[in-house]
């Protein structure tokens, strides 16, 4: 028996990971206590996703309603499955930049301490397992905002001859910038994951995500930008758009493309690596451009409340370079661009996200 242990298994990336590794024939053990509901309220709850997962995967999925802050509880799960664990996908987190400042203790306990709980028990009970950590581009803090951006009609943009035009590479410093409380707790986890690769020689990798998205996102205002944007347009809700004239740029990668990248690493791991992970030039959008596409897909007009103040530490422009990852895993290709992502979110939620 080979086991894929997935933390945050009801969330966007965790649920895709559970399905993906189950489809490869592994038994999946999931850990999730729906803390997303505590963070973001009922809109953010992942209970619906867990129900779907257990019914779709049947016997190949075993769930633990457990908190990753519970070190002893985590130890029991690792003791039970031990060296049969072939891969750990660590996707449980407090994922919001803005929420973290409300409760810095909770944010740090979940993101930093929770990560070492899972990491150290991997080392103690399944040291050969591949460990895949979901990090974030917020580890670079607001340094991308110092790039020489030009303002175009619908977005900020770099000149084509700038070295980062095709995406920001992993050599950008993570030091000496404003990270937000969330960015700082994720830096702690990211560096610890690298250290378990370098110091202990384990097959660990930190994937620094741009905007990760897909229909399994429990869209809430504070997290899940594209899904929440589409939800607002579909339900006729007002979207609060903060700062930068709505021209800030994000690259978005679909959870399916995230999992094909994780699978490539799982099959051929390299200890202590960091990779940026995003849609790159293939899949990126400004907020204004995303609204236009959502309006085209739905045939509805977006209701936007523009707030002339950007979020603290928010990126004005982020496009990930996938060059390093693709040089290590040349067979990997992204398959979803922004219109395809938005259309899928629309179709998956057409029956539930209706105007009030
Ligand atoms: N979605 C993005 O745009 C994005 C971007 C960059 C990085 N990431 C990172 O990717 C990872 C996954 O993100 P996501 O979008 O799937 O998030 P998500 O909120 O959809 O999923 C996380 C899941 O973890 C669970 N969880 C949270 N704290 C827990 C705890 N203490 N114990 C057990 N379960 C807990 C939540 O209930 C939720 O179901 C996170 O580490 C996040 O920081 C996400």
């Amino acid at each position: 028996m080979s086991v894929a242990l997935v933390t945050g298994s009801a969330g966007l990336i965790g649920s895709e990971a559970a399905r993906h590794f189950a489809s490869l024939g592994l038994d999946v053990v999931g850990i999730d206590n729906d803390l997303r509901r505590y963070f973001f309220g009922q809109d953010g709850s992942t209970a619906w996703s867990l129900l779907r997962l257990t019914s779709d995967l049947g016997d190949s999925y075993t769930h633990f309603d457990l908190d990753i802050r519970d070190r002893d509880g985590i130890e029991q799960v690792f003791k039970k499955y031990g060296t049969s664990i072939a891969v750990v996908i660590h996707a449980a987190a407090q994922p919001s930049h803005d929420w973290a400042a409300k409760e810095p203790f909770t944010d740090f306990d979940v993101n930093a301490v929770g990560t070492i709980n899972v990491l150290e028990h991997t080392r103690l009970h399944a040291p050969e397992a591949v460990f895949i950590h979901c990090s974030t581009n917020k580890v670079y803090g607001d340094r991308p905002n110092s790039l020489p951006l030009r303002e175009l009609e619908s977005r900020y943009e770099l000149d084509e001859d700038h070295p980062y035009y095709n995406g920001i590479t992993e050599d950008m410093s993570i030091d000496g910038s404003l990270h937000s409380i969330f960015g700082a707790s994720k830096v702690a986890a990211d560096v610890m994951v690298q250290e378990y690769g370098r110091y202990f020689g384990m097959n660990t990798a930190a994937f620094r995500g741009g905007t990760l998205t897909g229909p399994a996102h429990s869209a809430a205002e504070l997290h899940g930008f594209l899904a929440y944007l589409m939800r607002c347009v579909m339900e006729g809700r007002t979207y609060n758009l903060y700062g930068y004239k709505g021209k800030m740029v994000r690259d978005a990668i679909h959870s399916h493309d995230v999992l094909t990248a994780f699978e490539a690493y799982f099959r051929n791991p390299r200890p202590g690596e960091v990779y940026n992970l995003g849609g790159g030039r293939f899949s990126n959008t400004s907020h204004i451009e995303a609204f236009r596409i959502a309006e085209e897909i739905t045939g509805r007009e977006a209701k936007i409340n523009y707030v002339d103040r950007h979020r603290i530490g928010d990126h004005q422009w982020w496009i990930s370079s996938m060059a390093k990852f693709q040089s290590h895993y040349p067979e990997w290709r992204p398959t979803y661009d922004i219109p395809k992502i938005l259309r899928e979110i629309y179709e998956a939620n057409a029956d539930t996200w209706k105007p009030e």
Side-chain angles (χ1 to χ4, degrees):
M1 178 181 72
S2 270
V3 168
L5 191 148
V6 182
T7 71
S9 53
L12 169 71
I13 297 304
S15 62
E16 186 88 40
R19 290 171 194 280
H20 191 89
F21 280 93
S23 77
L24 299 179
L26 280 79
D27 286 328
V28 178
V29 171
I31 295 174
D32 199 306
N33 64 348
D34 199 11
L35 209 61
R36 190 173 167 94
R37 183 172 194 270
Y38 172 75
F39 300 141
F40 308 128
Q42 192 52 41
D43 275 356
S45 171
T46 51
W48 65 275
S49 168
L50 177 60
L51 278 177
R52 234 182 243 181
L53 198 61
T54 45
S55 109
D56 292 351
L57 297 188
D59 287 348
S60 56
Y61 181 78
T62 307
H63 190 75
F64 290 87
D65 183 0
L66 185 64
D67 197 306
I68 57 166
R69 291 172 293 181
D70 175 358
R71 193 170 285 166
D72 296 337
I74 294 293
E75 180 178 22
Q76 294 315 312
V77 176
F78 274 90
K79 269 190 171 161
K80 183 171 162 81
Y81 294 96
T83 53
S84 59
I85 300 171
V87 58
V88 175
I89 295 102
H90 179 41
Q94 189 302 103
S96 161
H97 196 77
D98 296 307
W99 192 91
K102 281 201 216 176
E103 291 186 29
F105 279 140
T106 308
D107 178 74
F108 196 84
D109 284 345
V110 173
N111 288 353
V113 182
T115 296
I116 197 171
N117 288 345
V118 180
L119 195 52
E120 174 63 358
H121 284 303
T122 305
R123 183 177 80 87
L124 294 174
H125 304 286
E128 302 298 320
V130 170
F131 191 99
I132 294 171
H133 173 63
C134 295
S135 186
T136 167
N137 61 8
K138 296 294 191 308
V139 300
Y140 300 106
D142 65 354
R143 184 167 302 277
N145 294 354
S146 62
L147 293 171
L149 296 170
R150 286 194 298 125
E151 185 178 339
L152 305 183
E153 187 259 320
S154 66
R155 61 161 56 200
Y156 291 101
E157 194 50 279
L158 280 177
D159 284 337
E160 284 188 28
D161 58 1
H162 191 280
Y164 288 156
Y165 178 75
N166 281 319
I168 294 172
T169 48
E170 295 80 357
D171 59 4
M172 178 173 265
S173 173
I174 65 165
D175 206 1
S177 61
L178 181 104
H179 287 83
S180 82
I181 300 304
F182 164 74
S185 67
K186 295 291 278 190
V187 165
D190 180 300
V191 173
M192 193 58 89
V193 168
Q194 291 183 56
E195 207 51 40
Y196 270 62
R198 298 224 167 76
Y199 193 95
F200 293 123
M202 287 169 59
N203 284 318
T204 65
F207 285 84
R208 296 174 172 168
T211 294
L212 314 180
T213 190
H217 229 174
S218 303
E221 181 172 12
L222 290 184
H223 192 245
F225 144 64
L226 278 179
Y228 184 68
L229 182 150
M230 182 51 102
R231 179 174 198 162
C232 286
V233 179
M234 288 168 73
E235 292 185 345
R237 283 198 210 188
T238 301
Y239 186 101
N240 293 319
L241 182 57
Y242 290 94
Y244 296 131
K245 304 177 193 168
K247 296 184 178 184
M248 52 282 201
V249 170
R250 307 271 178 269
D251 67 345
I253 181 167
H254 190 280
S255 48
H256 168 80
D257 293 335
V258 171
L259 259 298
T260 54
F262 287 178
E263 183 191 339
Y265 179 82
F266 166 62
R267 291 190 185 282
N268 190 12
R270 305 164 59 110
E273 283 292 358
V274 291
Y275 297 109
N276 289 344
L277 177 70
R281 272 286 154 202
F282 176 70
S283 173
N284 66 82
T285 182
S286 74
H287 283 58
I288 293 178
E289 292 162 356
F291 274 116
R292 285 184 192 153
I293 301 169
E295 287 180 332
E296 266 171 37
I297 293 171
T298 58
R300 298 177 57 86
E301 202 177 324
K303 291 184 190 160
I304 302 170
N305 172 40
Y306 181 68
V307 183
D308 195 9
R309 164 176 45 86
H310 62 78
R311 295 182 146 129
I312 300 175
D314 201 15
H315 286 158
Q316 206 170 336
W317 185 93
W318 176 274
I319 290 182
S320 320
S321 166
M322 292 302 290
K324 178 181 174 190
F325 185 77
Q326 284 185 300
S327 74
H328 292 178
Y329 303 99
E331 73 281 10
W332 181 83
R333 292 270 179 287
T335 59
Y336 280 82
D337 60 8
I338 300 285
K340 189 170 170 190
I341 289 168
L342 280 172
R343 178 158 293 284
E344 194 194 48
I345 293 173
Y346 170 73
E347 284 167 1
N349 294 288
D351 292 339
T352 40
W353 293 350
K354 292 188 168 153
E356 280 160 14

